[in-house]
Structure formats: structure tokens, C-alpha cells
Amino acid sequence: MGNAILFLILAVIAIGAAILMLVSKNAVHSALYLILNFAVIAVYYILLNAPFLAMVQITVYAGAIMVLFLFVIMLLGAEESSGVLGTRRGQLTTALLLGAVLIGSFVAALGQIGGSAASSSVADTTPRNLAIILFESYVFPFEVTGVLLLVAVVGLYVMSSRLVKKD
Amino acid sequence: MNAESAGQLAWITLVVGGIITFAVITGFAYTTLLERKVLARLQHRVGPNRAGYVPIPRRGKKERRLLGGFMQPAADAVKLFMKEDITPIYVDNVVYNLAPMLTVMPVILTLAVIPWASSVTLFGIDYPYLAIAPGLNVALLFVLAITSIEVYGVVLAGWSSNSKYAVLGGIRSTAQMISYELALGLTLLVPVMIAGSLNLNDIIVSQQETAWFTILQLPASIVFFVAALAEMQRAPFDLLEAEQELSSGYNVEYAGMRFAMFFMAEYMKMIVFSALWVVLFLGGYDIPFINEAAIVSSADSTVVTILIAAGQVLSIILKIVFSLFLMIWIRASWPRLRYDQLMDLGWKTLLPISLLNVIVTGVMIVLAEEGVFNSLISAFGG
């Protein structure tokens, strides 16, 4: 019962933060609402007995990624956006359509597993078990992701070194 | 666990957490005094000695004044409360007010996982070890998570102040904190690998069984200390305080108590990072040369248990004070680094050292598990 109430309160905060992220005119405020949303998701992980995932969620998403977002917004001075509706024609329609497709696929996926996925036990999510899953069952996708990031870094280096030569 | 005992547990945790947090906030006030006094002695001055003293009367002469200046923190606090609280024009009001809180809060949160003593019974609850949240098995990841959100206070304070100096200071500090977080995170891994656990108490127990990790892992210990200095922007990495370039960085537009909160966060970070360094590399609450667990089990009396726990708390506090002294000593002895030197040190020296350290430690652990060292010893020695 207590968990259900907590779930509802957190859900309201998470969805509210997500909506405010979309509608706020200031990009820095949007980023802050997104951080709040990530933090609430981390609390959900704790409620699901997955403290490891919760901490990783905060470190990676609320910490590293959002700091970089803020950094870029501040460096480019791009705080003021031109409003929710976007600047391009048909942007709103496309966004609504894609959103509907995303939610539809979530609902379909949930319908298939019958909503019983949220029953992980403490033992499943220890760092050791996660490492075994990551480095034995899914080692190939894991390594591919690593190579992808490396390619991005190399590409960035090539592009920026070309810029330096021009000067 | 039924609902009633869960509620009780929450209350007791709140009380214990309140006491420890209050103690550390008081500790913060006296850290400022320690810093001023030690700096003064290192620079051949006397330091603050007027506010508060213990008078010792002497016959025929002027009274002796003992502990001169021990009320200085209280005087400073009163002064800060009396200051006018200025809000500059065109600041982003919500973010401007939020930033000081976002700076202090993560530091206090880190306190939750620091173990102060081994198993004790408080208010009828058996603590596996004395901490605010002893149940958290991923304590070290919690520390990493909190460290990564510590940046926000600085970034947002700089951005919301509507001042170029503040923005530049904020961006500088952010770049610095992000760069040194990597080295910090990698050195955090080393004790975890040796102890085989993310639980801070397990790391201390592992040090009690072998040796303090400063002895086993001197490079990691030093890298952690240096990266921690950079992470909390202490000298010689206190670029945001480069007055001749940036006036004073991200907090330049703040006044009164809100400025004091940045100040408070800085000094509490000193205490928290000292505590972490002590826990990870200096044996935590371990009293050197004494096997506490053996004494407790052989004496089997409540008094001895309480005495040992008190001794452990004293031990960790003394080690933290030693670490604080080290930081102040460094501040008095080293000139400030230039910005490019700072980045070079972080990316080209500390990061490779800590990466290499992690790899070598991993290889050694695997070799030891495979019994390579034992067979080598028997091949050469026997």
C-alpha cells in the first residue's frame, strides 16, 4: 500500500517534470526538469530492488550526460528557444505521431508480458550478476557499443584537427 | 519486517543521521578555524585569537589566555547573518536561489554511507556498522553518483548570476570537476577490486585483515588525494579563486548567507573527501596495531564493546583531522597551477596512472587467484 502511494507521487513528479521540460521556454530550465525526471526514475529503480541500476542511472544520466547538455547550452548561449511548437512546418504533427507510435509499442509490449516484469529480486541485480550478464551473454553488443563510442571520438578528433589546420 | 518496526527504524535512522550531520556541520565551522590557525602558524603569524578564550588567572601578572579564538566561527556566523542579502538585477531567480542548496545537499548526502565504527547496538537496533545508512551495499557507487551531481550547484550558480565573470568561473570549475572525476572514479575502483565489495565496511574489514591500502596501493592513494583536491577546488587547484582573472568565479554575485552556503559546501567537502580517503586508504575506523574484533569477542562485556566503538570513532576523527591538516599544509606550500597545467595534470598524468594502476591490480589479483605467486615462491624458495 505504501509502495503504491509512493509510486503515484513519484509518477506525478516524473510526468510533471517531463511535461515542464517540454513547455519551458528556457533551455536550462528544460535541462533541470529532465534531471529531476532522471532522479525520479532512479528512485523507481530503488523501489524495484535495483540499487545498482539506480546509482548508475544517477551517475551516467543525471550526472555525466546532463552536465554535458548544460555545458553545451551555456557555451553556445542557446538558452532561449523559440517555443514549444517548433520552427518547422509539420514538426508538431510528426512529433505527436511518433509519440503515439512509441506509446502504442510500449502498451503492446506490456500486454504481451502481462505486466509481471517488475518482480526482480535483490539477487538479480547485484553488480556481480549484472557483470556476468553483460560480459558473458551480451559481450558482443557491449563491445560494439564501445567501438561505436571510440569511432565518435576519432571522428571528433579528425574534424577538429582539420579546423585547426585551416587557422 | 512489519510496518511498525519499519517506521521505528526510519525514526531512529533520522535521529542518528541528524546527530552525525550536526556533528559534521559543527566540524565544518572548526575546520575553518583550523585552516586559519594552521595557515597563520605556517606563515609565522598568530591567526584569529580574540573571539573567546579560557582565562587562567596568574598572581600579580596579567591573566593567561588559553585557546584564544575558539569562538571565531560563531563570530563569523553572526557576522554573515547580519550581512545584507543582495540579489543582483536580471538574475534567474529560481535557479539563483536553488544553486547554493544544490551545492550543500550532495555533500551532506555523502555522509550517509561513511562508517564511523564497527558493529554496535544503538536504541535497540543492531547496526552491522555505525553509519546513517548501513544497509546500502553499493555505497561506493552512491558516492560516485553524488560526486557526479555535485557539479550542478557550481554550473547553475555561474549561469544564473547574469554575470560574465560568474559564467566563465562556472564553466572553468565544471571542466575541472568533470576532468578529475575520471581519475577519482578509477582510483575508487582499486580498493573495490582488492576487497571484492562495494560496501565501505567490507573495504575497511579487508584492510584490517591485510594492511591499509595506502601501503598496498600508494599510487592510488596519492592519485585519489590529488584528484580529491582538484574535485573540491582546493589549492593548488583553486583556479576559480584566481582573483586577478575572474574576481572570484561562480559565486561572485552571491552575498550573505547564500555565499556562506558555498563556503560551507567547500569546507564540508574537505571533511567528506577526507573521510572517504581515510575509509578507502587509511583503514577507516581501524585502530592501528589493535585487533578490535578479538578484544570484543574475548572480553564479551558491554563496556568493552562501547569503549572499542568510542575508540574507533576517535580513531577515524583523528585520521580525518590529519588529512585536513595535510590539505591546509599543501595550500600553504604550493603555488596555484595554470589552467593548461591543471588540465595536463588531470588528463595526461593522473588518468594514465590510475588506468595503469587498475589494470596492474586486476592482473595481480587474477594471478594470485590462479596461484601463480605460490608456485613461484615454491619454485624459487623451496
Side-chain angles (χ1 to χ4, degrees):
Chain A
M1 191 57 208
N3 265 4
I5 296 171
L6 201 56
F7 178 87
L8 278 180
I9 296 173
L10 289 172
V12 169
I13 299 177
I15 295 173
I19 292 172
L20 283 171
M21 185 214 93
L22 285 175
V23 295
S24 52
K25 286 249 166 73
N26 193 314
V28 173
H29 291 176
S30 288
L32 286 179
Y33 285 123
L34 194 54
I35 295 166
L36 181 62
N37 184 286
F38 284 153
V40 174
I41 305 287
V43 180
Y44 273 135
Y45 285 138
I46 294 178
L47 287 181
L48 290 173
N49 278 329
F52 182 85
L53 276 184
M55 295 310 147
V56 172
Q57 161 88 7
I58 291 181
T59 315
V60 176
Y61 287 95
I65 291 182
M66 287 317 291
V67 167
L68 288 182
F69 264 50
L70 269 184
F71 213 65
V72 171
I73 293 172
M74 281 165 61
L75 269 183
L76 298 181
E79 289 98 337
E80 299 300 324
S81 75
S82 51
V84 202
L85 298 179
T87 45
R88 271 165 218 193
R89 243 166 11 114
Q91 199 171 340
L92 186 65
T93 336
T94 322
L96 284 177
L97 207 70
L98 289 177
V101 169
L102 188 66
I103 291 178
S105 55
F106 277 151
V107 170
L110 272 181
Q112 270 193 343
I113 50 174
S116 62
S119 59
S120 61
S121 66
V122 183
D124 289 342
T125 55
T126 56
R128 180 180 294 274
N129 286 348
L130 278 179
I132 289 172
I133 293 170
L134 205 58
F135 289 106
E136 283 179 4
S137 317
Y138 295 101
V139 67
F140 184 68
F142 181 80
E143 294 294 332
V144 167
T145 318
V147 172
L148 196 68
L149 289 175
L150 187 68
V151 168
V153 172
V154 172
L156 189 72
Y157 173 75
V158 170
M159 283 162 73
S160 58
S161 67
R162 234 179 248 160
L163 279 182
V164 170
K165 259 179 211 161
K166 261 183 200 164
D167 293 342
Chain B
M1 189 190 292
N2 58 39
E4 198 190 318
S5 78
Q8 220 178 0
L9 192 72
W11 275 112
I12 291 168
T13 310
L14 264 186
V15 170
V16 172
I19 292 171
I20 294 180
T21 311
F22 185 75
V24 173
I25 290 177
T26 320
F28 135 74
Y30 278 91
T31 312
T32 62
L33 185 64
L34 180 78
E35 167 142 54
R36 291 176 67 179
K37 274 287 191 187
V38 172
L39 271 184
R41 299 313 301 182
L42 287 168
Q43 294 163 354
H44 217 275
R45 292 183 287 121
V46 181
N49 64 347
R50 296 300 170 94
Y53 54 87
V54 182
I56 295 179
R58 285 189 297 182
R59 189 171 297 159
K61 285 187 219 159
K62 226 177 128 201
E63 62 186 9
R64 248 180 91 93
R65 292 180 169 181
L66 214 63
L67 291 175
F70 79 93
M71 289 301 282
Q72 187 67 38
D76 285 341
V78 172
K79 183 193 125 191
L80 277 165
F81 272 118
M82 311 287 264
K83 288 264 184 189
E84 188 188 352
D85 197 6
I86 305 166
T87 305
I89 198 163
Y90 295 132
V91 299
D92 191 314
N93 242 315
V94 177
V95 182
Y96 182 79
N97 287 313
L98 195 69
M101 300 178 210
L102 280 180
T103 324
V104 176
M105 226 167 45
V107 191
I108 297 179
L109 274 177
T110 321
L111 284 176
V113 293
I114 293 187
W116 298 94
S118 58
S119 56
V120 281
T121 307
L122 270 184
F123 310 112
I125 288 180
D126 294 318
Y127 276 84
Y129 55 96
L130 180 60
I132 298 173
L136 196 62
N137 274 327
V138 290
L140 212 66
L141 276 176
F142 177 79
V143 170
L144 264 184
I146 298 300
T147 325
S148 70
I149 59 170
E150 254 166 25
V151 190
Y152 285 120
V154 173
V155 166
L156 294 174
W159 174 78
S160 66
S161 305
N162 185 38
S163 155
K164 286 198 173 77
Y165 290 113
V167 170
L168 285 176
I171 286 179
R172 259 195 189 189
S173 317
T174 317
Q176 178 177 345
M177 286 166 101
I178 294 174
S179 313
Y180 280 85
E181 229 175 78
L182 290 169
L184 199 74
L186 279 173
T187 41
L188 284 179
L189 267 182
V190 173
V192 173
M193 286 162 78
I194 303 179
S197 167
L198 286 163
N199 186 321
L200 291 181
N201 194 54
D202 291 352
I203 291 174
I204 294 177
V205 170
S206 159
Q207 291 182 78
Q208 284 174 328
E209 283 162 1
T210 54
W212 291 2
F213 288 156
T214 291
I215 302 166
L216 297 181
Q217 288 285 346
L218 189 61
S221 177
I222 294 172
V223 169
F224 180 87
F225 195 79
V226 175
L229 278 181
E231 189 71 21
M232 59 186 143
Q233 329 240 327
R234 286 279 306 175
F237 307 106
D238 53 345
L239 281 149
L240 78 142
E241 283 177 18
E243 291 92 348
Q244 65 273 45
E245 299 166 31
L246 286 174
S247 48
S248 85
Y250 64 88
N251 53 16
V252 64
E253 300 290 345
Y254 283 85
M257 275 320 280
R258 278 182 290 198
F259 174 75
M261 282 174 86
F262 287 116
F263 203 66
M264 183 171 161
E266 194 178 311
Y267 280 88
M268 282 180 53
K269 257 189 212 173
M270 274 173 77
I271 299 178
V272 165
F273 272 113
S274 294
L276 276 177
W277 187 53
V278 166
V279 165
L280 292 175
F281 292 103
L282 288 187
Y285 54 68
D286 176 39
I287 308 171
F289 311 116
I290 287 180
N291 190 344
E292 296 102 316
I295 292 176
V296 167
S297 61
S298 68
D300 195 30
S301 76
T302 330
V303 180
V304 175
T305 316
I306 291 175
L307 271 181
I308 287 289
Q312 287 176 329
V313 174
L314 190 70
S315 161
I316 188 169
I317 289 176
L318 282 179
K319 287 176 195 172
I320 290 175
V321 171
F322 165 72
S323 161
L324 290 175
F325 176 77
L326 216 58
M327 290 173 183
I328 298 167
W329 193 7
I330 289 173
R331 174 173 169 185
S333 325
W334 286 78
R336 182 182 293 138
L337 264 69
R338 231 171 38 225
Y339 190 70
D340 58 320
Q341 292 170 331
L342 172 99
M343 285 295 156
D344 278 359
L345 181 70
W347 288 101
K348 294 181 186 165
T349 314
L350 293 188
L351 190 61
I353 291 178
S354 44
L355 256 178
L356 201 68
N357 200 348
V358 166
I359 294 169
V360 170
T361 310
V363 170
M364 296 289 256
I365 289 172
V366 171
L367 287 183
E369 272 173 5
E370 303 282 327
V372 174
F373 293 124
N374 289 339
S375 47
L376 271 183
I377 289 169
S378 58
F380 286 102

